[in-house]
Amino acid sequence: MSTYGYFDDKNREYVITRPDTPLPWLNMLGQDEFFGLCTQTAGGYSFWKDARLRRLTRYRYNNNPMDNDGRFLYVKQGKSVWNPGWKPTRTPLDAFECRHGLGYTRITGSKAGVEVEQLMFIPPQENLEIWRVSVRNRSKTTQKLSLFSFVEFCFYEALNDMTNYQRTYSIGEVEIEDSAIYHKTEYRERRNHYTLFGCTRKINGYDTSRDAFVGVHNGLHDPKAVMAGKCTNSHAYGWNPVGAHQIDLTLKPGQEETFAFVLAYVEQGDLPKFDAPFVMNKTKGREILARYSDLAAIDRAFVAVKTRWEELLAIYQVPQVPDANLRRMVNTWNQVQCMATFNLSRASSGYETGIGRGMGYRDSNQDILGFVHLLPERARQRILDIASTQLSDGTCFHQYQPLTKKGNADIGGGFNDDPLWLILSTCAYIRETGDLTILDAPCGYADQPGSQQTLLHHIDTSIAYTLNNRGPHGLPLIGHADWNDCLNLNCFSKEPNESFQCTGDIGGSKAESVMIAGLFLYAARDLAALYRFMGKSGEAARIDGYYADMLKTVEEQAWDGAWYTRAFDAESRPVGSKTCEEGKIYIESQAWCVLGGAGANNGRAKKALQAVDKYLYDRNYGCALQYPPYSTYHLELGEVSSYPPGYKENAGVFSHNNTWIHIGWTMAGEGEKALEYYLSICPSAKKDYDVYRSEPYVYAQMTASQFSPTPGEGKNSWLTGTGAWSFVAASQHILGVRPDFNGLIIDPCIPKKWKGFTVQRKFRGVTYTIAVKNPKGKSKGVKSLLVDGKKIAGNVIPLPVPGTTAVKIEVTLGA
Ligand code: BGC
Ligand code: NOJ
């Protein structure tokens, strides 16, 4: 129990016990195409598929107070006006609780004998969200009150919505029918969709004009209509359409009323658009409201949300393991975060506005690694979508919009790590499913409309791209940047109005990346194994050759004496070397060289990890990205040196790359280190949330490091590659249950003092119940493996005979 809340592990909820958390603590609703962000005070917004192109409700980022705008309920009770979620009025409550659960948030607030519970969720496969609201009289006297709902509609294209007021102030249109508010801006012209905000109960009034409901000189903390206790039944013409319902209630002692609001995105499809001039055809909207007017239907939909999550999570569970933080992260929250990163990439969170960035090429490929076991079919489609944004020369659009699936021309390409990540995601998919047909699936190139090249063609193109674009040391050219978007070795920007990400001439540049070399090693090993599995030994041997060649280059060119050099700049000077004054050692090249198998036979891998331990690691915060931080701006390095020391890529703890080191420690057989490092960035293991500030249940992209003035402060939570990689590190490498092309590998690396643990894994239709025992106090090495009581050699459980549904595995460590 911390100052702000606690984990209810049984119910898979994080319970927030006071509304004034150090930062907004967010939950993510939705799994399919309709999504919502929801904070502990009901702040947030909703969108369909694409937070930029189909935003349904408004949210004001970086507002002060922070997190203001959302799914608000106001209670007017006598003279008092309050929100069950505390905000925006911030009227002190008698009781407050927010339960962030799997795809739902339940906020309960009480004041003067009245309790309001607001349960928000998005039913599976629906393009709508439900707020199930219960109002209870907990007092001994009859209570009269009015309850108001509130959302502010967004004009779908979020950037235009918040910048182009000369237009947007004149386009707003709504219709009202019974309890339903239809937001239909631009529906008359090119849009064939609208937003519906309805109530399952009879209402006593409504407002659709913000000026009428809130007032031009009032705020969401004192909306005019609520203060007056009465909606004005306003009709918005232009300006800012909102949706507000008024419900008057008289509740006897102990009495409760339950009803719901429904916020839906409705596509009109082939139906006629209008019933009459200016009167939209509302058939679909009416159908939706009819479907959910029944409370039992709503409750069924909520059960469906929970059941679906339980089914997904059952694919990988750790029923017993000595470490509580690892258990709750692996069993629940880390997988929840993997769902969010899969769906939203780096597009929309409390820190990503949904406008700047769509789906990232490298990001989404990595996100698949932690998601593919949950819904492999969706991962398959995503891999093909991503591949379709690659160009025929091997370069890739760095980002694409989820709605259009088209590459984003503003940012373009030239991030030379991008092509390789596709190999990792594809191999992960095939390992999970055994489905080789994905390799033959057509997913042409972005610069060749209509082309039907296969995924395997893309993979070959990716390998060839890296091989053919190398610099003076034989290492891969970096382009605009590699995984570290801020290592801009070709940028040379003196102009503050330029973006570090796309500025600079990369044609003919010499700057090289050791990280990409390491990633190439990893990808090549993956691909060679895949070819072997396919029976293509010639192809496997070809890739093995590339591997050997790159490995030789890395060992000859990139070993700095005690760690791997990070890069060579445009003048071929080393970056991340003992010869540098600052930025002597970087984490990514240690991680990827080790993961790629460099240093395995000559002791360098161990040394590289030890150097990380010595220079970068701090037990309380994790590993800083590099050391020492840059104290001044370096023209030849770019954005990495733009951040003040200890933040972001300039030696902040960038959680994502820490997870690679966790895997590195398991490869080195160091179970204590692996777990200790794992816990150093684990959000649920933080000691003081007034310092850490971010959510305890999901990873933050970065924590201010020991080299900053505010060490331990977490930032940019939810959308980070840490989600996927941390799950991979914990589930596949620490607990060591790892899918392979032809079986399930069991290869744990745990602290010696662990006596054992159990894992439940569904893999290719079979449920494996795995019990690992560690009688000799070892970290790594499988001594014996019993499959349904029969001893087998090695540590790969072969695929069982077809028809098998459950297999019992007993593992004893101690080889
Ligand atoms: C951030 C990076 C990010 C990049 C691209 C930079 O400002 O520091 O973490 O990858 O922007 O959006
Ligand atoms: C965040 C970006 O989304 C990711 O692509 C990048 O690798 C990291 N920042 C590191 O710069």
Side-chain angles (χ1 to χ4, degrees):
M1 177 99 186
S2 84
T3 324
Y4 299 98
Y6 60 96
F7 284 90
D8 178 345
D9 289 322
K10 194 165 153 284
N11 288 310
R12 301 189 194 272
E13 290 175 331
Y14 188 81
V15 187
I16 300 170
T17 48
R18 50 188 274 192
D20 56 339
T21 50
L23 286 168
W25 282 2
L26 189 75
N27 197 8
M28 297 281 196
L29 313 181
Q31 277 190 23
D32 304 308
E33 300 194 327
F34 190 102
F35 299 100
L37 277 55
C38 187
T39 68
Q40 84 286 358
T41 54
Y45 62 99
S46 304
F47 57 94
W48 182 75
K49 270 193 185 178
D50 190 314
R52 170 154 183 181
L53 299 176
R54 286 289 192 281
R55 193 173 302 195
L56 307 179
T57 53
R58 282 190 181 152
Y59 188 67
R60 286 184 184 74
Y61 277 95
N62 202 12
N63 203 13
N64 204 200
M66 230 175 166
D67 183 35
N68 214 358
D69 227 338
R71 303 169 180 83
F72 293 137
L73 294 176
Y74 292 91
V75 179
K76 168 89 166 142
Q77 193 183 0
K79 286 211 171 66
S80 135
V81 173
W82 56 278
N83 305 99
W86 184 56
K87 278 198 333 202
T89 59
R90 293 195 291 142
T91 305
L93 297 170
D94 297 340
F96 167 89
E97 185 186 79
C98 166
R99 288 181 173 258
H100 281 325
L102 304 174
Y104 65 90
T105 289
R106 188 195 298 270
I107 294 174
T108 313
S110 325
K111 176 120 194 126
V114 172
E115 179 181 276
V116 179
E117 179 186 309
Q118 180 182 12
L119 169 66
M120 292 155 281
F121 64 96
I122 296 168
Q125 312 295 341
E126 289 274 44
N127 291 328
L128 56 86
E129 67 185 50
I130 292 175
W131 316 353
R132 183 188 192 279
V133 177
S134 296
V135 187
R136 302 178 186 116
N137 181 355
R138 297 276 197 213
S139 75
K140 297 207 162 63
T141 52
T142 297
Q143 298 280 356
K144 278 184 75 136
L145 59 103
S146 296
L147 182 112
F148 300 85
S149 68
F150 177 81
V151 294
E152 186 170 351
F153 294 115
C154 181
F155 294 144
Y156 307 110
E157 208 287 286
L159 182 62
N160 190 59
D161 183 77
M162 58 180 75
T163 48
N164 192 9
Y165 302 115
Q166 65 77 25
R167 172 175 163 81
T168 58
Y169 279 179
S170 294
I171 60 177
E173 289 189 282
V174 297
E175 280 186 49
I176 299 110
E177 182 180 78
D178 304 325
S179 306
I181 295 167
Y182 289 83
H183 172 230
K184 58 165 189 177
T185 299
E186 292 186 340
Y187 179 80
R188 267 183 323 98
E189 30 120 348
R190 293 159 299 172
R191 293 192 185 277
N192 199 31
H193 58 84
Y194 56 85
T195 311
L196 162 69
F197 187 38
C199 180
T200 61
R201 186 191 186 284
K202 206 173 146 325
I203 57 171
N204 301 88
Y206 62 85
D207 267 306
T208 64
S209 148
R210 193 178 81 188
D211 292 353
F213 185 77
V214 182
V216 173
H217 298 291
N218 291 48
L220 296 182
H221 61 286
D222 61 351
K224 254 167 68 174
V226 179
M227 303 315 280
K230 205 168 170 28
C231 277
T232 68
N233 294 350
S234 58
H235 192 124
Y237 297 101
W239 299 105
N240 295 293
V242 298
H245 304 93
Q246 176 184 344
I247 293 175
D248 297 337
L249 295 169
T250 303
L251 297 175
K252 297 207 184 69
Q255 196 186 338
E256 161 174 338
E257 271 235 32
T258 297
F259 46 92
F261 298 96
V262 177
L263 181 85
Y265 169 78
V266 189
E267 294 244 343
Q268 190 70 346
D270 296 334
L271 282 184
K273 280 184 93 166
F274 293 96
D275 284 344
F278 301 103
V279 181
M280 38 187 297
N281 173 325
K282 305 185 191 65
T283 314
K284 289 204 171 177
R286 287 185 201 121
E287 273 169 18
I288 290 171
L289 291 177
R291 191 143 34 97
Y292 287 108
S293 61
D294 172 15
L295 268 186
I298 288 178
D299 291 343
R300 274 197 304 277
F302 181 57
V303 170
V305 173
K306 291 188 88 156
T307 313
R308 181 153 84 154
W309 260 116
E310 287 301 334
E311 283 169 9
L312 290 177
L313 293 177
I315 297 167
Y316 196 119
Q317 285 295 291
V318 205
Q320 288 159 337
V321 71
D323 190 84
N325 286 299
L326 181 133
R327 184 171 59 233
R328 66 169 58 109
M329 291 309 286
V330 169
N331 282 348
T332 305
W333 290 100
N334 197 178
Q335 300 200 55
V336 168
Q337 186 166 10
C338 287
M339 173 66 77
T341 55
F342 173 82
N343 279 316
L344 307 178
S345 195
R346 307 295 170 269
S348 67
S349 68
Y351 303 84
E352 309 281 6
T353 60
I355 291 176
R357 305 164 72 191
M359 311 297 282
Y361 195 99
R362 78 159 79 87
D363 296 328
S364 291
N365 274 307
Q366 291 174 81
D367 295 342
I368 281 169
L369 307 179
F371 172 84
V372 64
H373 66 293
L374 293 174
L375 290 165
E377 267 308 300
R378 292 192 64 199
R380 186 183 204 273
Q381 185 57 49
R382 175 64 46 79
I383 291 169
L384 299 176
D385 288 347
I386 298 171
S388 310
T389 64
Q390 185 174 34
L391 284 84
S392 53
D393 66 357
T395 57
C396 310
F397 274 108
H398 196 48
Q399 288 160 15
Y400 73 92
Q401 277 311 122
L403 188 71
T404 61
K405 297 188 179 174
K406 292 272 179 296
N408 178 344
D410 294 345
I411 175 114
F415 295 80
N416 282 354
D417 61 317
D418 273 341
L420 292 171
W421 297 108
L422 184 66
I423 301 173
L424 274 66
S425 60
T426 302
C427 288
Y429 169 79
I430 298 173
R431 284 198 169 94
E432 183 65 37
T433 59
D435 169 24
L436 287 168
T437 67
I438 190 174
L439 294 170
D440 302 323
C443 47
Y445 291 97
D447 57 334
Q448 298 176 338
S451 63
Q452 297 282 308
Q453 308 283 20
T454 63
L455 181 63
L456 191 58
H457 195 276
H458 282 264
I459 282 175
D460 266 335
T461 305
S462 302
I463 289 282
Y465 181 81
T466 309
L467 289 175
N468 296 337
N469 288 277
R470 289 191 277 173
H473 297 86
L475 294 162
L477 295 173
I478 196 168
H480 282 304
D482 58 24
W483 174 88
N484 187 336
D485 269 338
C486 297
L487 198 58
N488 315 122
L489 304 180
N490 298 303
C491 182
F492 298 100
S493 180
K494 291 185 176 164
E495 168 54 62
N497 299 323
E498 288 172 348
S499 152
F500 284 111
Q501 298 294 307
C502 358
T503 305
D505 186 10
I506 57 173
S509 153
K510 292 194 293 204
E512 296 160 290
S513 161
V514 177
M515 183 262 158
I516 300 183
L519 176 60
F520 179 87
L521 292 177
Y522 189 98
R525 230 171 23 183
D526 243 11
L527 184 56
L530 173 62
Y531 275 133
R532 266 189 288 276
F533 173 61
M534 294 164 76
K536 295 190 174 186
S537 52
E539 287 296 76
R542 178 173 68 91
I543 304 293
D544 284 344
Y546 301 150
Y547 179 91
D549 180 54
M550 188 67 82
L551 182 64
K552 188 161 171 279
T553 308
V554 166
E555 298 290 19
E556 282 175 9
Q557 306 293 336
W559 182 249
D560 192 59
W563 57 79
Y564 288 100
T565 311
R566 175 63 176 84
F568 291 92
D569 72 11
E571 301 292 327
S572 274
R573 291 169 303 204
V575 179
S577 152
K578 59 179 180 295
T579 60
C580 304
E581 255 178 50
E582 294 176 331
K584 286 173 184 290
I585 170 171
Y586 274 66
I587 196 167
E588 305 100 327
S589 45
Q590 317 322 317
W592 279 99
C593 289
V594 171
L595 261 53
N601 302 324
N602 56 16
R604 288 176 176 176
K606 199 75 178 254
K607 281 190 187 144
L609 291 168
Q610 281 160 354
V612 168
D613 196 58
K614 180 165 175 196
Y615 296 105
L616 305 178
Y617 180 61
D618 182 297
R619 180 184 263 272
N620 294 312
Y621 316 126
C623 303
L625 190 145
Q626 44 99 346
Y627 169 84
Y630 297 109
S631 52
T632 56
Y633 175 57
H634 287 248
L635 195 62
E636 76 287 6
L637 300 176
E639 189 171 358
V640 69
S641 61
S642 74
Y643 288 110
Y647 296 94
K648 291 280 278 181
E649 281 87 343
N650 189 12
V653 173
F654 219 95
S655 319
H656 185 157
N657 54 42
N658 276 241
T659 61
W660 302 328
I661 299 292
H662 306 169
I663 299 174
W665 282 125
T666 67
M667 290 168 68
E670 301 267 2
E672 273 72 24
K673 286 270 184 229
L675 185 72
E676 187 193 303
Y677 272 53
Y678 174 84
L679 292 175
S680 71
I681 61 160
C682 181
S684 72
K686 294 290 163 190
K687 293 193 183 63
D688 185 344
Y689 290 93
D690 281 313
V691 173
Y692 183 66
R693 300 184 74 197
S694 292
E695 293 92 333
Y697 40 91
V698 286
Y699 287 96
Q701 182 204 57
M702 82 112 189
T703 302
S705 75
Q706 63 271 35
F707 306 122
S708 81
T710 59
E713 195 180 46
K715 220 177 266 177
N716 300 7
S717 56
W718 275 100
L719 299 185
T720 155
T722 320
W725 277 106
S726 213
F727 187 70
V728 170
S731 64
Q732 299 189 18
H733 296 276
I734 296 178
L735 301 171
V737 178
R738 185 156 74 236
D740 205 354
F741 295 113
N742 48 15
L744 199 55
I745 298 178
I746 307 289
D747 183 23
C749 180
I750 57 173
K752 295 194 178 75
K753 64 170 188 288
W754 281 17
K755 297 272 174 261
F757 62 91
T758 58
V759 168
Q760 185 99 2
R761 176 65 154 100
K762 290 193 183 161
F763 177 62
R764 309 221 194 151
V766 180
T767 301
Y768 293 88
T769 306
I770 304 161
V772 178
K773 295 211 176 74
N774 187 21
K776 297 248 163 71
K778 301 283 181 191
S779 276
K780 197 173 164 124
V782 170
K783 185 171 167 227
S784 81
L785 189 66
L786 300 184
V787 179
D788 276 336
K790 284 197 211 75
K791 197 170 165 99
I792 63 158
N795 66 341
V796 185
I797 309 168
L799 295 175
V801 290
T804 314
T805 53
V807 174
K808 212 172 137 212
I809 306 292
E810 292 157 89
V811 183
T812 309
L813 298 186

